[in-house]
Amino acid sequence: MPVENSNQKLNPTIIQIENFSFFYGKNQALFDIDLSIPEKEVTALIGPSGCGKSTLLRSINRMNDLVDESNHRGRILIQDQDIHDTQLEVISLRKRVGMVFQKSNPFPKSIYENVVFGLRIAGKTNKNDLDEVVERSLKASALWDEVKDRLKDSALGLSGGQMQRLCIARAIANQPEVLLMDEPCSALDPVATAKIESLIHELKKNYTIVIVTHNMQQASRVSDRTAFLYMGKLIEYDETETLFTNPKQQQTEDYITGRFG
């Protein structure tokens, strides 16, 4: 089925997915995905459970490499560099592509040490530099004012919403180009969800964001463009407002109006 795209002028493409298929052993999860993701916008991936949206998201930073017997066909390029190039180290890729998971996963360390964890692994030890990163990252994740006087306290003492914002701070401490979010609000209450959604609007000024969400209202609120996947195939990709108000494909309309899924 052809994928419809609007003719709206995009920001420059940062992620180019070309004829990409993905397999878990003999089970094919994605089929010939073609998708151009513009920089410094929010792109939402929607679709029913099992449609392949999280598989696609995790392919962008090669998290799926951790799954036994997984393999792929096709290409994913970031800034025109093939992420599966044998010359590219996965660690360096994941510095460029941060990730925030569905369930907040702070380490059993202080708030400060959570933020600088990746920097310490990279060998950075200068306290002034680390202090600067902590303040910058916590401000960018809208958490600084709430925790600036207790940076030495355990991160596990934060609320669920604060933990998720801390995980965002940790993800952006390395100043990645791309931030992947896999259902970042699914475990949060409406107030915490609203804070994360407001934060996403601020973060896209500096980062390209790709978000997986089951919540179509959330997709319509936070994203600039939306891709609808069904049974591992990309059915439609367009400006979010257009896709939700005037979808080109009947399957898309059926899904967003609740006829299936």
Side-chain angles (χ1 to χ4, degrees), residues 89-257:
E89 292 184 350
V90 176
I91 292 173
S92 67
L93 171 67
R94 291 180 186 153
K95 285 181 181 176
R96 296 172 62 194
V97 185
M99 185 147 191
V100 178
F101 296 92
Q102 179 175 353
K103 187 177 185 304
S104 58
N105 58 341
F107 303 131
K109 298 174 177 287
S110 69
I111 294 168
Y112 184 101
E113 288 301 325
N114 265 270
V115 178
V116 302
F117 183 80
L119 300 175
R120 289 206 189 279
I121 287 179
K124 297 182 180 179
T125 57
N126 183 285
K127 186 176 185 303
N128 288 336
D129 290 345
L130 295 179
D131 287 350
E132 184 179 321
V133 169
V134 168
E135 183 171 349
R136 169 177 55 77
S137 301
L138 289 173
K139 282 182 175 178
S141 61
L143 192 56
W144 174 253
D145 289 341
E146 296 170 44
V147 302
K148 62 185 179 182
D149 297 323
R150 49 188 179 123
L151 296 177
K152 293 182 180 178
D153 291 359
S154 171
L156 302 182
L158 298 173
S159 70
Q162 288 174 325
M163 284 186 185
Q164 193 63 298
R165 280 181 283 148
L166 177 63
C167 291
I168 292 172
R170 188 175 67 200
I172 63 177
N174 278 316
Q175 294 188 295
E177 299 160 58
V178 177
L179 189 59
L180 308 178
M181 296 184 162
D182 194 355
E183 301 212 49
C185 303
S186 65
L188 303 181
D189 62 49
V191 172
T193 294
K195 287 186 177 181
I196 296 290
E197 291 183 0
S198 177
L199 177 56
I200 289 170
H201 281 293
E202 288 299 309
L203 289 171
K204 77 172 183 178
K205 295 174 183 176
N206 297 305
Y207 306 97
T208 301
I209 299 173
V210 186
I211 180 171
V212 163
T213 178
H214 271 106
N215 186 324
M216 284 184 285
Q217 289 76 26
Q218 181 173 78
S220 67
R221 288 192 298 263
V222 305
S223 69
D224 300 288
R225 298 182 69 79
T226 296
F228 168 56
L229 285 84
Y230 183 65
M231 296 184 71
K233 297 179 180 179
L234 178 60
I235 305 302
E236 188 165 350
Y237 177 48
D238 212 329
E239 182 184 7
T240 294
E241 183 177 0
T242 300
L243 187 136
F244 277 96
T245 60
N246 188 29
K248 309 293 190 302
Q249 301 293 343
Q250 186 64 45
Q251 276 181 297
T252 310
E253 182 172 348
D254 288 347
Y255 181 69
I256 63 178
T257 57

Side-chain angles (χ1 to χ4, degrees), residues 19-39:
N19 201 30
F20 188 78
S21 297
F22 193 87
F23 304 81
Y24 295 109
K26 295 180 180 179
N27 177 39
Q28 186 167 358
L30 295 173
F31 297 81
D32 305 317
I33 304 291
D34 286 297
L35 193 61
S36 297
I37 296 176
E39 67 178 5

